Amino acid sequence: MRVAVCQLNAREDRARNLAVARELLERAAAGGARFAVLPEYVDFLGRSADAPKPEPVDGEFGAFFSAAARELGIWVHAGSFHETGPDEGRTFNTTLIFAPDGTLTATYRKIHLYDVEIAGRVSYQESRSVAPGADTVVADVAGVPTGLSICYDLRFPELYRLLAVAGARVLVVPAAFMLHTGRDHWEVLLRARAIENQCYVLAAGQIGDHEPGRTCFGRSMIIDPWGTVLAQAPDTVGVTYADLDLERLETVRRELPSLANRRL
């Protein structure tokens, strides 16, 4: 199965962000991808005061990507967006997956929230405005069990082990990973999740500067179950492809049966 990770620089102009996302999906489809993945907060990255009004899963955001999947005839992972939350003060950070007929087939709400203070570099408290999800999700994407996560989830290996034990062969990580941490941790963590769970990992990241004064690392990539980086995006907006060999995945699991040998 050919897959694509789409890298973009979402800013404050939601209409433009969605137009770029659609263009990248068109490029992914033209390049033969059956499944295309967009980054976290694909429709808006900026000051929280300027964020779009949160929507239900069947709101304008969902309708936009449902139409894109249907018109392009591909599976679409719509990154994430601000879904209507449990109360007026908080949203959910939510992923939606659409089938080639436009049907919404999976919904995942980010479980681990990014509350980090690195003096002079990073100050972000996601939990002030976002509520955590509670459920792990393995989606069926073209017959391939696909485990869902979002950005900061990447630092919690227990989530990915649950997904692998539940049958996942592919793990998806849409992200807006900060430059300061991304340059040292992004690839290392992605490769670790691939190796320890013997899964393909599809990681689509935001790239470049965003208000208020944040920079995202980018370097979207696709990694095989051995931990080999099959494809990596350059430091620009664009689409990166790779072909997933599911027979190779089963060979890796058979020859090095670490999942089968686990004791805990």
Side-chain angles (χ1 to χ4, degrees), residues 109-179:
R109 297 174 178 93
K110 185 178 182 182
I111 293 173
H112 300 97
L113 302 182
Y114 187 62
D115 289 354
V116 174
E117 294 286 342
I118 301 175
R121 294 182 180 272
V122 177
S123 176
Y124 197 84
Q125 298 291 320
E126 189 174 18
S127 65
R128 290 177 181 172
S129 59
V130 178
D135 299 322
T136 58
V137 177
V138 176
D140 183 319
V141 176
V144 180
T146 300
L148 304 185
S149 65
I150 299 174
C151 200
Y152 193 51
D153 282 333
L154 182 59
R155 294 186 179 275
F156 300 87
E158 60 273 19
L159 169 61
Y160 297 89
R161 179 50 50 90
L162 288 172
L163 295 172
V165 170
R169 265 46 181 179
V170 172
L171 303 170
V172 182
V173 188
F177 227 77
M178 299 293 184
L179 175 63

Side-chain angles (χ1 to χ4, degrees), residues 45 94 137 164 168 189 201 242:
L45 264 184
T94 301
V137 177
L189 289 170
V201 172

Side-chain angles (χ1 to χ4, degrees), residues 22 71 221:
R22 172 64 190 235
E71 292 164 8
M221 62 182 71

Side-chain angles (χ1 to χ4, degrees), residues 25-228:
L25 291 175
E26 291 173 357
R27 289 170 56 183
R34 294 183 64 196
F35 181 35
V37 180
L38 289 159
E40 182 181 27
Y41 287 144
V42 64
D43 64 330
F44 177 88
L45 264 184
R47 300 179 189 278
S48 57
D50 300 325
K53 184 178 179 180
E55 302 175 6
V57 296
D58 59 353
E60 291 182 5
F61 180 94
F64 180 89
F65 287 104
S66 172
R70 183 177 64 254
E71 292 164 8
L72 298 173
I74 62 173
W75 289 85
V76 170
H77 179 298
S80 79
F81 77 112
H82 296 274
E83 181 197 358
T84 305
D87 53 59
E88 290 187 2
R90 295 180 300 166
T91 64
F92 290 115
N93 185 346
T94 301
T95 280
L96 305 176
I97 293 184
F98 296 94
D101 65 358
T103 301
L104 174 65
T105 63
T107 301
Y108 168 73
R109 297 174 178 93
K110 185 178 182 182
I111 293 173
H112 300 97
L113 302 182
Y114 187 62
D115 289 354
V116 174
E117 294 286 342
I118 301 175
R121 294 182 180 272
V122 177
S123 176
Y124 197 84
Q125 298 291 320
E126 189 174 18
S127 65
R128 290 177 181 172
S129 59
V130 178
D135 299 322
T136 58
V137 177
V138 176
D140 183 319
V141 176
V144 180
T146 300
L148 304 185
S149 65
I150 299 174
C151 200
Y152 193 51
D153 282 333
L154 182 59
R155 294 186 179 275
F156 300 87
E158 60 273 19
L159 169 61
Y160 297 89
R161 179 50 50 90
L162 288 172
L163 295 172
V165 170
R169 265 46 181 179
V170 172
L171 303 170
V172 182
V173 188
F177 227 77
M178 299 293 184
L179 175 63
H180 176 64
T181 53
R183 59 192 178 192
D184 293 322
H185 297 168
W186 173 245
E187 180 176 335
V188 174
L189 289 170
L190 290 170
R191 294 181 67 197
R193 299 297 87 88
I195 293 166
E196 66 200 8
N197 296 296
Q198 299 180 316
C199 288
Y200 283 97
V201 172
L202 316 182
Q206 293 275 1
I207 179 73
D209 296 333
H210 313 267
E211 295 297 338
R214 295 195 297 267
T215 301
C216 288
F217 182 62
R219 301 288 174 91
S220 302
M221 62 182 71
I222 301 167
I223 302 167
D224 81 358
W226 195 254
T228 302

